[in-house]
Amino acid sequence: KNESDSNSDGSGAGEVSVGSLGHPNMCRRPCVYVSTHRANCPKGSNCTYCHLRHPQRRTTFDKRQREFLRNLSDAEMLSVLLPFLKSKAMKMPQSAWKVVRLLEEKLQLAGGPQAPDTLPNLVSVLEHMNFSWLVTLAPCKDDEDLVLAMDELRMQYT
């Protein structure tokens, strides 16, 4: 696509990128060119970041939250993530539940549910993350079955 294909404000929102696939539940984080600079992305439709409008700035963990999450066991991390993933899966294609079931199986293999005390504001940050981003936090995110299930889910957005 060329510059004339984008919105007149130069936001690039009219130019969908590879990273926009599955927006808003499965897309990558927003492209810095499109979201911050309000300019056309030099990579155009080949950009691996999302070119579509996001209602708010991407949430990030503060230092205490990062340290807290880093110190969780696999079972604790999955116990923290699964409620948020289930909530988001309710508004997604049925194949999102395949991802949830795979993570529930991993949780059982890791010793079953173990709900740690959470930090203030951690719930708010996790609620604002999309499904895909939450899955990348899972300790088993590189598991072959999980990767295939995520790819299958992404394909439903094409």
Side-chain angles (χ1 to χ4, degrees):
K1 293 194 175 215
N2 61 36
E3 216 172 70
S4 64
D5 291 324
S6 297
N7 284 356
S8 58
D9 66 359
S11 69
E15 183 173 31
V16 178
S17 64
V18 173
S20 302
L21 185 65
H23 179 83
N25 296 312
M26 296 294 296
C27 63
R28 294 279 314 267
R29 68 179 187 217
C31 173
V32 70
Y33 288 99
V34 174
S35 66
T36 306
H37 302 300
R38 309 296 265 180
N40 289 319
C41 174
K43 293 185 179 180
S45 61
N46 293 322
C47 182
T48 58
Y49 296 99
C50 186
H51 282 194
L52 300 176
R53 193 170 300 278
H54 287 255
Q56 59 190 359
R57 191 173 179 178
R58 187 175 75 108
T59 57
T60 58
F61 299 113
D62 65 28
K63 184 178 179 181
R64 286 181 51 224
Q65 293 166 340
R66 286 191 306 272
E67 186 174 328
F68 172 80
L69 293 171
R70 195 172 20 252
N71 290 323
L72 293 178
S73 68
D74 289 358
E76 289 172 327
M77 179 62 107
L78 290 168
S79 295
V80 167
L81 296 176
L82 275 164
F84 298 98
L85 288 163
K86 288 177 182 179
S87 173
K88 292 180 186 309
M90 289 181 188
K91 302 171 195 135
M92 295 176 65
Q94 191 63 32
S95 58
W97 287 100
K98 181 176 182 180
V99 172
V100 170
R101 283 191 299 278
L102 285 168
L103 291 172
E104 287 176 327
E105 289 172 14
K106 297 295 182 187
L107 174 58
Q108 292 306 315
L109 292 172
Q114 299 176 14
D117 294 333
T118 58
L119 293 174
N121 301 322
L122 180 61
V123 168
S124 176
V125 173
L126 292 170
E127 283 174 342
H128 287 93
M129 291 184 163
N130 73 19
F131 190 88
S132 180
W133 187 251
L134 287 168
V135 171
T136 66
L137 298 174
C140 53
K141 66 180 179 275
D142 296 323
D143 176 81
E144 186 176 338
D145 291 335
L146 186 60
V147 170
L148 290 172
M150 288 294 286
D151 287 345
E152 178 184 321
L153 180 55
R154 280 189 190 94
M155 293 308 295
Q156 292 192 353
Y157 286 93
T158 57

